[in-house]
PDB file of all heavy atoms in Angstrom:
ATOM      1  N   ALA A  11      12.243   0.402   9.515  1.00 98.00           N
ATOM      2  CA  ALA A  11      11.293  -0.084  10.562  1.00 98.00           C
ATOM      3  C   ALA A  11      11.081  -1.556  10.496  1.00 98.00           C
ATOM      4  O   ALA A  11      10.941  -2.156   9.364  1.00 98.00           O
ATOM      5  CB  ALA A  11       9.874   0.555  10.309  1.00 98.00           C
ATOM      6  N   ALA A  12      11.266  -2.244  11.616  1.00 98.00           N
ATOM      7  CA  ALA A  12      11.150  -3.738  11.677  1.00 98.00           C
ATOM      8  C   ALA A  12       9.744  -4.246  12.005  1.00 98.00           C
ATOM      9  O   ALA A  12       9.357  -5.267  11.591  1.00 98.00           O
ATOM     10  CB  ALA A  12      12.172  -4.272  12.721  1.00 98.00           C
ATOM     11  N   PHE A  13       9.058  -3.365  12.637  1.00 98.00           N
ATOM     12  CA  PHE A  13       7.698  -3.835  13.127  1.00 98.00           C
ATOM     13  C   PHE A  13       6.683  -4.319  12.045  1.00 98.00           C
ATOM     14  O   PHE A  13       5.804  -5.078  12.379  1.00 98.00           O
ATOM     15  CB  PHE A  13       7.075  -2.836  14.147  1.00 98.00           C
ATOM     16  CG  PHE A  13       6.560  -1.520  13.431  1.00 98.00           C
ATOM     17  CD1 PHE A  13       5.185  -1.531  12.962  1.00 98.00           C
ATOM     18  CD2 PHE A  13       7.304  -0.462  13.115  1.00 98.00           C
ATOM     19  CE1 PHE A  13       4.662  -0.458  12.367  1.00 98.00           C
ATOM     20  CE2 PHE A  13       6.754   0.670  12.529  1.00 98.00           C
ATOM     21  CZ  PHE A  13       5.393   0.678  12.125  1.00 98.00           C
ATOM     22  N   PRO A  14       6.802  -3.747  10.774  1.00 98.00           N
ATOM     23  CA  PRO A  14       5.807  -4.178   9.793  1.00 98.00           C
ATOM     24  C   PRO A  14       5.931  -5.717   9.567  1.00 98.00           C
ATOM     25  O   PRO A  14       4.954  -6.266   8.967  1.00 98.00           O
ATOM     26  CB  PRO A  14       6.153  -3.289   8.573  1.00 98.00           C
ATOM     27  CG  PRO A  14       6.713  -2.070   9.138  1.00 98.00           C
ATOM     28  CD  PRO A  14       7.398  -2.557  10.350  1.00 98.00           C
ATOM     29  N   LEU A  15       7.102  -6.279   9.916  1.00 98.00           N
ATOM     30  CA  LEU A  15       7.214  -7.777   9.727  1.00 98.00           C
ATOM     31  C   LEU A  15       6.159  -8.585  10.557  1.00 98.00           C
ATOM     32  O   LEU A  15       5.870  -9.766  10.201  1.00 98.00           O
ATOM     33  CB  LEU A  15       8.629  -8.248  10.128  1.00 98.00           C
ATOM     34  CG  LEU A  15       9.828  -7.790   9.246  1.00 98.00           C
ATOM     35  CD1 LEU A  15      11.132  -8.006   9.993  1.00 98.00           C
ATOM     36  CD2 LEU A  15       9.738  -8.532   7.949  1.00 98.00           C
ATOM     37  N   LEU A  16       5.566  -7.842  11.602  1.00 98.00           N
ATOM     38  CA  LEU A  16       4.534  -8.549  12.359  1.00 98.00           C
ATOM     39  C   LEU A  16       3.349  -8.770  11.650  1.00 98.00           C
ATOM     40  O   LEU A  16       2.540  -9.608  12.102  1.00 98.00           O
ATOM     41  CB  LEU A  16       4.265  -7.620  13.655  1.00 98.00           C
ATOM     42  CG  LEU A  16       5.395  -7.513  14.653  1.00 98.00           C
ATOM     43  CD1 LEU A  16       5.128  -6.266  15.586  1.00 98.00           C
ATOM     44  CD2 LEU A  16       5.580  -8.755  15.533  1.00 98.00           C
ATOM     45  N   ASN A  17       3.163  -8.182  10.461  1.00 98.00           N
ATOM     46  CA  ASN A  17       1.936  -8.368   9.575  1.00 98.00           C
ATOM     47  C   ASN A  17       1.930  -9.726   8.949  1.00 98.00           C
ATOM     48  O   ASN A  17       0.894 -10.052   8.381  1.00 98.00           O
ATOM     49  CB  ASN A  17       1.860  -7.121   8.639  1.00 98.00           C
ATOM     50  CG  ASN A  17       1.195  -5.979   9.179  1.00 98.00           C
ATOM     51  OD1 ASN A  17       0.226  -6.084   9.850  1.00 98.00           O
ATOM     52  ND2 ASN A  17       1.730  -4.774   8.892  1.00 98.00           N
ATOM     53  N   SER A  18       2.981 -10.491   8.923  1.00 98.00           N
ATOM     54  CA  SER A  18       2.908 -11.690   8.234  1.00 98.00           C
ATOM     55  C   SER A  18       3.389 -12.848   9.070  1.00 98.00           C
ATOM     56  O   SER A  18       4.197 -12.720   9.955  1.00 98.00           O
ATOM     57  CB  SER A  18       3.712 -11.628   6.953  1.00 98.00           C
ATOM     58  OG  SER A  18       5.128 -11.616   7.208  1.00 98.00           O
ATOM     59  N   THR A  19       2.947 -14.059   8.684  1.00 98.00           N
ATOM     60  CA  THR A  19       3.414 -15.227   9.472  1.00 98.00           C
ATOM     61  C   THR A  19       4.910 -15.438   9.302  1.00 98.00           C
ATOM     62  O   THR A  19       5.633 -15.651  10.210  1.00 98.00           O
ATOM     63  CB  THR A  19       2.668 -16.473   8.971  1.00 98.00           C
ATOM     64  OG1 THR A  19       1.254 -16.305   9.120  1.00 98.00           O
ATOM     65  CG2 THR A  19       3.153 -17.770   9.693  1.00 98.00           C
ATOM     66  N   GLU A  20       5.432 -15.210   8.092  1.00 98.00           N
ATOM     67  CA  GLU A  20       6.825 -15.342   7.768  1.00 98.00           C
ATOM     68  C   GLU A  20       7.652 -14.316   8.598  1.00 98.00           C
ATOM     69  O   GLU A  20       8.718 -14.609   9.153  1.00 98.00           O
ATOM     70  CB  GLU A  20       7.084 -15.138   6.322  1.00 98.00           C
ATOM     71  CG  GLU A  20       8.622 -15.232   5.929  1.00 98.00           C
ATOM     72  CD  GLU A  20       8.876 -14.864   4.469  1.00 98.00           C
ATOM     73  OE1 GLU A  20       7.944 -14.341   3.854  1.00 98.00           O
ATOM     74  OE2 GLU A  20       9.965 -14.931   4.086  1.00 98.00           O
ATOM     75  N   GLY A  21       7.101 -13.040   8.649  1.00 98.00           N
ATOM     76  CA  GLY A  21       7.833 -11.962   9.399  1.00 98.00           C
ATOM     77  C   GLY A  21       7.927 -12.301  10.829  1.00 98.00           C
ATOM     78  O   GLY A  21       8.867 -12.160  11.487  1.00 98.00           O
ATOM     79  N   ARG A  22       6.778 -12.704  11.392  1.00 98.00           N
ATOM     80  CA  ARG A  22       6.742 -13.105  12.746  1.00 98.00           C
ATOM     81  C   ARG A  22       7.789 -14.320  13.213  1.00 98.00           C
ATOM     82  O   ARG A  22       8.456 -14.240  14.201  1.00 98.00           O
ATOM     83  CB  ARG A  22       5.337 -13.427  13.304  1.00 98.00           C
ATOM     84  CG  ARG A  22       4.381 -12.250  13.303  1.00 98.00           C
ATOM     85  CD  ARG A  22       3.115 -12.517  13.949  1.00 98.00           C
ATOM     86  NE  ARG A  22       2.281 -13.599  13.236  1.00 98.00           N
ATOM     87  CZ  ARG A  22       1.423 -13.354  12.303  1.00 98.00           C
ATOM     88  NH1 ARG A  22       1.281 -12.155  11.785  1.00 98.00           N
ATOM     89  NH2 ARG A  22       0.733 -14.307  11.737  1.00 98.00           N
ATOM     90  N   ALA A  23       7.775 -15.184  12.244  1.00 98.00           N
ATOM     91  CA  ALA A  23       8.701 -16.341  12.504  1.00 98.00           C
ATOM     92  C   ALA A  23      10.111 -15.861  12.318  1.00 98.00           C
ATOM     93  O   ALA A  23      11.047 -16.252  13.161  1.00 98.00           O
ATOM     94  CB  ALA A  23       8.553 -17.413  11.402  1.00 98.00           C
ATOM     95  N   LEU A  24      10.517 -14.882  11.435  1.00 98.00           N
ATOM     96  CA  LEU A  24      11.807 -14.411  11.273  1.00 98.00           C
ATOM     97  C   LEU A  24      12.215 -13.627  12.608  1.00 98.00           C
ATOM     98  O   LEU A  24      13.356 -13.783  13.094  1.00 98.00           O
ATOM     99  CB  LEU A  24      11.822 -13.419  10.189  1.00 98.00           C
ATOM    100  CG  LEU A  24      13.236 -12.737   9.907  1.00 98.00           C
ATOM    101  CD1 LEU A  24      14.292 -13.705   9.542  1.00 98.00           C
ATOM    102  CD2 LEU A  24      13.116 -11.736   8.762  1.00 98.00           C
ATOM    103  N   LEU A  25      11.277 -12.778  13.168  1.00 98.00           N
ATOM    104  CA  LEU A  25      11.610 -12.101  14.460  1.00 98.00           C
ATOM    105  C   LEU A  25      11.769 -13.094  15.581  1.00 98.00           C
ATOM    106  O   LEU A  25      12.667 -12.932  16.394  1.00 98.00           O
ATOM    107  CB  LEU A  25      10.449 -11.127  14.688  1.00 98.00           C
ATOM    108  CG  LEU A  25      10.362  -9.862  13.794  1.00 98.00           C
ATOM    109  CD1 LEU A  25       9.052  -9.175  14.065  1.00 98.00           C
ATOM    110  CD2 LEU A  25      11.541  -9.002  14.018  1.00 98.00           C
ATOM    111  N   ALA A  26      10.966 -14.138  15.706  1.00 98.00           N
ATOM    112  CA  ALA A  26      11.058 -15.092  16.656  1.00 98.00           C
ATOM    113  C   ALA A  26      12.465 -15.745  16.622  1.00 98.00           C
ATOM    114  O   ALA A  26      13.118 -15.931  17.710  1.00 98.00           O
ATOM    115  CB  ALA A  26       9.954 -16.064  16.678  1.00 98.00           C
ATOM    116  N   ALA A  27      12.886 -16.139  15.477  1.00 98.00           N
ATOM    117  CA  ALA A  27      14.144 -16.786  15.274  1.00 98.00           C
ATOM    118  C   ALA A  27      15.289 -15.907  15.662  1.00 98.00           C
ATOM    119  O   ALA A  27      16.242 -16.325  16.302  1.00 98.00           O
ATOM    120  CB  ALA A  27      14.316 -17.224  13.849  1.00 98.00           C
ATOM    121  N   TYR A  28      15.062 -14.587  15.430  1.00 98.00           N
ATOM    122  CA  TYR A  28      16.146 -13.596  15.823  1.00 98.00           C
ATOM    123  C   TYR A  28      16.285 -13.572  17.367  1.00 98.00           C
ATOM    124  O   TYR A  28      17.369 -13.750  18.000  1.00 98.00           O
ATOM    125  CB  TYR A  28      15.721 -12.233  15.296  1.00 98.00           C
ATOM    126  CG  TYR A  28      16.515 -11.080  15.929  1.00 98.00           C
ATOM    127  CD1 TYR A  28      17.774 -10.731  15.550  1.00 98.00           C
ATOM    128  CD2 TYR A  28      15.981 -10.393  17.015  1.00 98.00           C
ATOM    129  CE1 TYR A  28      18.428  -9.619  16.078  1.00 98.00           C
ATOM    130  CE2 TYR A  28      16.605  -9.356  17.619  1.00 98.00           C
ATOM    131  CZ  TYR A  28      17.868  -8.922  17.115  1.00 98.00           C
ATOM    132  OH  TYR A  28      18.562  -7.925  17.769  1.00 98.00           O
ATOM    133  N   TYR A  29      15.123 -13.485  18.084  1.00 98.00           N
ATOM    134  CA  TYR A  29      15.241 -13.428  19.573  1.00 98.00           C
ATOM    135  C   TYR A  29      15.626 -14.769  20.134  1.00 98.00           C
ATOM    136  O   TYR A  29      16.389 -14.813  21.108  1.00 98.00           O
ATOM    137  CB  TYR A  29      13.868 -13.101  20.105  1.00 98.00           C
ATOM    138  CG  TYR A  29      13.378 -11.664  19.799  1.00 98.00           C
ATOM    139  CD1 TYR A  29      12.290 -11.491  18.994  1.00 98.00           C
ATOM    140  CD2 TYR A  29      14.106 -10.568  20.502  1.00 98.00           C
ATOM    141  CE1 TYR A  29      11.846 -10.087  18.808  1.00 98.00           C
ATOM    142  CE2 TYR A  29      13.613  -9.350  20.180  1.00 98.00           C
ATOM    143  CZ  TYR A  29      12.572  -9.092  19.388  1.00 98.00           C
ATOM    144  OH  TYR A  29      12.175  -7.773  19.089  1.00 98.00           O
ATOM    145  N   GLU A  30      15.300 -15.844  19.537  1.00 98.00           N
ATOM    146  CA  GLU A  30      15.636 -17.149  20.035  1.00 98.00           C
ATOM    147  C   GLU A  30      17.182 -17.321  20.136  1.00 98.00           C
ATOM    148  O   GLU A  30      17.704 -17.929  21.110  1.00 98.00           O
ATOM    149  CB  GLU A  30      15.115 -18.315  19.101  1.00 98.00           C
ATOM    150  CG  GLU A  30      13.621 -18.349  19.036  1.00 98.00           C
ATOM    151  CD  GLU A  30      13.060 -19.378  20.059  1.00 98.00           C
ATOM    152  OE1 GLU A  30      13.824 -19.783  20.940  1.00 98.00           O
ATOM    153  OE2 GLU A  30      11.812 -19.655  19.989  1.00 98.00           O
ATOM    154  N   ARG A  31      17.899 -16.722  19.229  1.00 98.00           N
ATOM    155  CA  ARG A  31      19.356 -16.849  19.213  1.00 98.00           C
ATOM    156  C   ARG A  31      19.941 -16.184  20.514  1.00 98.00           C
ATOM    157  O   ARG A  31      20.941 -16.618  21.116  1.00 98.00           O
ATOM    158  CB  ARG A  31      19.986 -16.231  17.981  1.00 98.00           C
ATOM    159  CG  ARG A  31      19.653 -16.991  16.685  1.00 98.00           C
ATOM    160  CD  ARG A  31      20.529 -16.567  15.442  1.00 98.00           C
ATOM    161  NE  ARG A  31      20.203 -15.222  15.002  1.00 98.00           N
ATOM    162  CZ  ARG A  31      19.295 -14.929  14.143  1.00 98.00           C
ATOM    163  NH1 ARG A  31      18.573 -15.940  13.577  1.00 98.00           N
ATOM    164  NH2 ARG A  31      19.087 -13.725  13.672  1.00 98.00           N
ATOM    165  N   TYR A  32      19.366 -15.092  20.888  1.00 98.00           N
ATOM    166  CA  TYR A  32      19.898 -14.358  22.022  1.00 98.00           C
ATOM    167  C   TYR A  32      19.415 -15.062  23.298  1.00 98.00           C
ATOM    168  O   TYR A  32      20.081 -15.014  24.288  1.00 98.00           O
ATOM    169  CB  TYR A  32      19.412 -12.907  21.978  1.00 98.00           C
ATOM    170  CG  TYR A  32      20.104 -12.095  20.868  1.00 98.00           C
ATOM    171  CD1 TYR A  32      19.505 -11.953  19.703  1.00 98.00           C
ATOM    172  CD2 TYR A  32      21.286 -11.469  21.150  1.00 98.00           C
ATOM    173  CE1 TYR A  32      20.082 -11.207  18.710  1.00 98.00           C
ATOM    174  CE2 TYR A  32      21.961 -10.741  20.089  1.00 98.00           C
ATOM    175  CZ  TYR A  32      21.338 -10.644  18.910  1.00 98.00           C
ATOM    176  OH  TYR A  32      21.884  -9.880  17.842  1.00 98.00           O
ATOM    177  N   LEU A  33      18.219 -15.586  23.296  1.00 98.00           N
ATOM    178  CA  LEU A  33      17.664 -16.314  24.525  1.00 98.00           C
ATOM    179  C   LEU A  33      18.566 -17.509  24.740  1.00 98.00           C
ATOM    180  O   LEU A  33      18.814 -17.875  25.977  1.00 98.00           O
ATOM    181  CB  LEU A  33      16.267 -16.686  24.273  1.00 98.00           C
ATOM    182  CG  LEU A  33      15.199 -15.591  24.385  1.00 98.00           C
ATOM    183  CD1 LEU A  33      13.978 -15.924  23.764  1.00 98.00           C
ATOM    184  CD2 LEU A  33      14.969 -15.236  25.758  1.00 98.00           C
ATOM    185  N   ALA A  34      19.096 -18.090  23.703  1.00 98.00           N
ATOM    186  CA  ALA A  34      20.054 -19.182  23.861  1.00 98.00           C
ATOM    187  C   ALA A  34      21.385 -18.792  24.567  1.00 98.00           C
ATOM    188  O   ALA A  34      21.877 -19.517  25.402  1.00 98.00           O
ATOM    189  CB  ALA A  34      20.354 -19.915  22.485  1.00 98.00           C
ATOM    190  N   VAL A  35      21.842 -17.546  24.264  1.00 98.00           N
ATOM    191  CA  VAL A  35      23.033 -17.050  24.944  1.00 98.00           C
ATOM    192  C   VAL A  35      22.690 -16.828  26.348  1.00 98.00           C
ATOM    193  O   VAL A  35      23.494 -17.241  27.291  1.00 98.00           O
ATOM    194  CB  VAL A  35      23.449 -15.780  24.306  1.00 98.00           C
ATOM    195  CG1 VAL A  35      24.593 -15.117  25.109  1.00 98.00           C
ATOM    196  CG2 VAL A  35      23.815 -15.942  22.812  1.00 98.00           C
TER     197      VAL A  35
END
């Protein structure tokens, strides 16, 4: 499960960075 990462600032930043790479494409 990936969604528990939302519980921390670090986890939310990690998810945002993941999506940012695809948004750049």
